[in-house]
Amino acid sequence: MSEPGAGRLTSAYRERFGEPFTTDEVYGYWLFVAGTVIAVVGMAVFLTSMGSGQTGTRGIAYLLTGIGLATAFAGLVVGQSFHRTAKLLVYVGLLVCLAAMAWFLTVFPGQWALGSGSAQGVVAVYTLGLALITLSGALAPISVGQSRARQAVEEQLADARADDEADDQRIEELEAAVAERDDRIDALESDLDESRAETAEAERAAEEAREEAREKTRSATAETAAAREETASVRDDLNAAASHVNALSKSSATFDVYRDKSGQWRWRLVHRNGNIIATSGEGYSSDRTARRGMRSVKRNSLGAAVVWQRDEEDPEPAAEPVAEEPSARFRLYRDADDEYRWRLRHDNGETIAAGTRGFSSKSSAKDGIESVRSTIGPADYLEFDPAGIEVYEDSAGEFRWRLVHRNGNILGDSGEGYASRSNGRRAADRVQEVAGDAAVDADSGVRFETFEDAGGGHRWRLVAANGETIADSGEGYSSRSKLEDAIDRVREYAPEADRLTMATAAIEVYEDAGGEFRWRLRHRNGTILGTSGEGYTGRSKALDAVNGVKRHAPNAPIEEGEEQPDEEVETEEE
């Protein structure tokens, strides 16, 4: 059986009738069409030759009609796709018909007559050819069986039925697989729901455990801080007492008991250079009572606290503010550098406190707010008159000191950290002893060395006689003259600077470079937790402002916003 090709005849047949089963079907159809067309043309030519006596035209009509009739019969039989032998017999019959028509051309018209032997021979041969074609079409199916086209169709039908059965079986298998998958999905969803419930329960338990741990940590941290403060305070008292005892043992003064002109007994403390350091202030009736008063002074002055008396024109400090229901809110926002900042804004729209730096995350900013909430209330006020020395613990757990002017400027610092607070205090004491007499850029001894850093700033460092650096400027100055002014301030203020102590945090009220008064909340590690955000025309107004923050900040809620505030708080310069 021949398969359909991709020729023009096959393409044309496929476009008009559909897909053929075999090429024999295509060729048989086109043979039939060609034969029919040729026969019709022959008949038309014959009709035109009637009555005109055109023997040649009539001969062409006979020729075309005979060839067309034989070709049409052959096409009908070939299209049935019989057995190969039957199809061969068709082609033999067609050739016999064509031979008869060729013989017809040789005898027509001269030897053509119905009773002549030539005409009878042509008709006999042509009839034989048609008989062969007819025999193949009528008798071959009986002898050779069904046509190949029908056999092909039946084979295709059998294949199609087999494919349908296979598809049905495959569909059943797929349906079973889908059902099994749905069952598994239902089981997995059930397990997932159970897992989600267990996970939610575990998360709740974990959150409760974390909250409990955080509470314990906060409690332990507070207890530890209190214990460290108490230990530091005791250590400081012991060190102060030891220093005082040591100073007394090496005293350069003596107590002198004498009788004055009125006959009363008095005592006085006289330095070896002759200066009178202290007196009894009143007379005693006898030498014995004067000596008793002198011994009382010697005994009670050891470790006695110093009370700073304010001038009469200075206002008395207001009572410690008590936290109340807030009329202010912490506003958390992002600045132009995409960092988180906060400010404390009163309900009247006034900003009463602000952070001095940006935070990389929202949680860090909230921690900063929490630090202000917890420390602003109990924070003490630090007084500088005109300068003081702070000994503090930095973020690395080391102790440092710095010399702070009452305008808030850092005049100098330790330049390094110490393992304990007492070591930091001793380092500050050492600087106080030698800073006033230190020369500038000397070749030896205690001296201030000046130099220019990598950024072009002018700096100083205080160097001991052994070459050790015991203090430095902490920052660079833009000119040599400003550096020299800074050294003069250190030499002037360091020897008499008061020692400042703080608990967890303290409030500094200072005068800025513009002559306005500001406040800032400084942690004991040196970090500035918050500032006033603006300047005030007087110290009392700055104190009133910070007292307002003390009342409102501990309970103030936090609001978050994405908008940029109209004004920015200047970053605190250390």
Side-chain angles (χ1 to χ4, degrees):
M1 182 176 64
S2 300
E3 294 296 331
R8 293 182 179 179
L9 297 178
T10 304
S11 300
Y13 185 90
R14 184 182 294 113
E15 292 175 0
R16 288 168 174 78
F17 303 104
E19 189 69 27
F21 292 107
T22 64
T23 55
D24 293 337
E25 180 181 346
V26 177
Y27 296 150
Y29 169 77
W30 288 115
L31 282 175
F32 173 76
V33 172
T36 303
V37 172
I38 293 171
V40 171
V41 172
M43 292 178 183
V45 172
F46 176 77
L47 291 175
T48 59
S49 65
M50 289 180 62
S52 61
Q54 296 177 2
T55 306
T57 302
R58 189 175 299 167
I60 294 174
Y62 292 155
L63 177 64
L64 292 176
T65 303
I67 293 174
L69 181 61
T71 303
F73 279 146
L76 289 175
V77 177
V78 169
Q80 295 298 317
S81 299
F82 295 143
H83 192 269
R84 183 177 181 182
T85 302
K87 186 170 66 174
L88 181 60
L89 188 60
V90 172
Y91 289 132
V92 170
L94 180 59
L95 290 176
V96 171
C97 290
L98 293 177
M101 297 312 299
W103 187 12
F104 168 78
L105 288 176
T106 61
V107 300
F108 185 85
Q111 299 178 11
W112 184 261
L114 294 178
S116 66
S118 297
Q120 293 177 354
V122 170
V123 173
V125 173
Y126 187 81
T127 303
L128 176 62
L130 289 179
L132 291 175
I133 294 172
T134 304
L135 179 64
S136 174
L139 301 180
I142 299 175
S143 60
V144 300
Q146 62 182 356
S147 68
R148 285 194 293 166
R150 181 178 178 183
Q151 182 180 2
V153 171
E154 291 183 353
E155 290 177 354
Q156 290 182 2
L157 290 175
D159 293 339
R161 284 193 293 270
D163 292 340
D164 290 341
E165 292 177 357
D167 291 340
D168 292 340
Q169 183 177 0
R170 180 61 178 166
I171 289 172
E172 292 178 357
E173 293 176 354
L174 290 175
E175 289 177 348
V178 169
E180 182 179 358
R181 185 198 62 184
D182 292 340
D183 293 340
R184 292 182 60 189
I185 290 175
D186 292 339
L188 290 174
E189 288 179 348
S190 178
D191 294 341
L192 181 60
D193 291 338
E194 293 178 0
S195 300
R196 285 174 178 169
E198 294 176 357
T199 302
E201 183 65 27
E203 288 179 351
R204 284 194 295 271
E207 182 61 29
E208 292 176 358
R210 284 194 295 269
E211 183 62 30
E212 183 179 356
R214 283 195 292 267
E215 184 63 29
K216 290 182 178 179
T217 301
R218 285 194 291 268
S219 177
T221 302
E223 293 176 358
T224 302
R228 291 178 63 182
E229 287 298 326
E230 184 177 357
T231 302
S233 177
V234 172
R235 187 186 297 112
D236 292 343
D237 292 342
L238 291 176
N239 289 336
S243 298
H244 200 164
V245 171
N246 185 51
L248 289 176
S249 65
K250 298 179 180 180
S251 177
S252 298
T254 57
F255 279 97
D256 181 15
V257 180
Y258 65 96
R259 178 179 289 180
D260 61 14
K261 294 180 180 181
S262 63
Q264 290 186 318
W265 292 89
R266 298 176 179 268
W267 60 264
R268 57 190 173 193
L269 182 62
V270 183
H271 195 270
R272 64 184 177 186
N273 61 10
N275 293 332
I276 296 176
I277 301 174
T279 67
S280 60
E282 62 176 336
Y284 297 91
S285 59
S286 65
D287 176 26
R288 181 178 180 181
T289 55
R291 291 180 180 277
R292 186 183 299 117
M294 178 193 68
R295 287 194 296 271
S296 176
V297 170
K298 291 177 64 176
R299 181 175 63 253
N300 294 313
S301 63
L302 182 63
V306 177
V307 179
W308 294 95
Q309 298 291 336
R310 295 177 177 268
D311 296 336
E312 291 181 357
E313 61 273 15
D314 288 344
E316 289 295 326
E320 184 68 22
V322 178
E324 59 185 34
E325 287 299 322
S327 297
R329 299 174 184 274
F330 284 99
R331 186 69 172 173
L332 185 61
Y333 64 95
R334 282 189 177 183
D335 62 13
D337 297 327
D338 203 29
E339 291 185 321
Y340 289 91
R341 290 180 177 270
W342 63 264
R343 60 179 58 226
L344 183 61
R345 178 163 291 181
H346 197 274
D347 289 348
N348 61 12
E350 178 186 1
T351 297
I352 59 177
T356 59
R357 64 188 181 93
F359 297 89
S360 60
S361 65
K362 185 183 297 184
S363 60
S364 299
K366 289 184 176 180
D367 290 341
I369 294 175
E370 189 61 36
S371 298
V372 173
R373 280 174 164 174
S374 60
T375 58
I376 187 69
D380 294 326
Y381 297 90
L382 291 182
E383 297 288 345
F384 303 93
D385 190 22
I389 293 178
E390 292 180 357
V391 179
Y392 64 96
E393 184 179 359
D394 62 18
S395 58
E398 294 184 320
F399 291 90
R400 299 174 177 268
W401 64 265
R402 59 187 164 205
L403 179 63
V404 185
H405 193 266
R406 64 186 171 191
N407 63 8
N409 291 336
I410 307 297
L411 303 180
D413 59 40
S414 59
E416 63 174 321
Y418 299 92
S420 64
R421 187 181 296 273
S422 59
N423 289 342
R425 288 179 178 274
R426 282 194 291 271
D429 291 341
R430 184 181 180 188
V431 172
Q432 286 189 280
E433 292 174 0
V434 301
D437 299 326
V440 179
D441 291 332
D443 295 333
S444 61
V446 180
R447 59 198 183 276
F448 284 96
E449 290 184 354
T450 61
F451 63 97
E452 189 172 341
D453 60 21
H458 297 274
R459 294 176 177 264
W460 62 260
R461 55 184 166 227
L462 183 60
V463 181
N466 60 3
E468 177 187 3
T469 299
I470 57 178
D472 63 38
S473 60
E475 63 174 328
Y477 297 90
S478 59
S479 65
R480 175 76 183 185
S481 60
K482 291 183 178 180
L483 176 67
E484 292 175 350
D485 291 342
I487 294 175
D488 291 340
R489 288 196 297 270
V490 172
R491 290 200 294 189
E492 177 183 0
Y493 297 133
E496 302 298 330
D498 297 328
R499 185 69 50 77
L500 305 174
T501 59
M502 66 175 69
T504 303
I507 295 171
E508 300 173 355
V509 179
Y510 63 96
E511 185 178 359
D512 62 16
E516 292 185 319
F517 290 90
R518 297 174 179 266
W519 64 264
R520 58 190 171 198
L521 178 63
R522 187 190 294 274
H523 194 271
R524 66 178 301 166
N525 64 10
T527 302
I528 296 177
L529 303 178
T531 69
S532 58
E534 62 175 314
Y536 299 91
T537 56
R539 182 182 296 273
S540 60
K541 292 183 178 180
L543 289 173
D544 291 340
V546 73
N547 287 338
V549 176
K550 278 175 168 282
R551 290 193 301 271
H552 297 300
N555 300 320
I558 299 175
E559 292 182 347
E560 299 181 14
E562 296 296 332
E563 71 276 5
Q564 181 74 14
D566 295 335
E567 71 281 351
E568 287 293 337
V569 178
E570 295 182 358
T571 302
E572 185 71 25
E573 297 291 341
E574 283 299 323

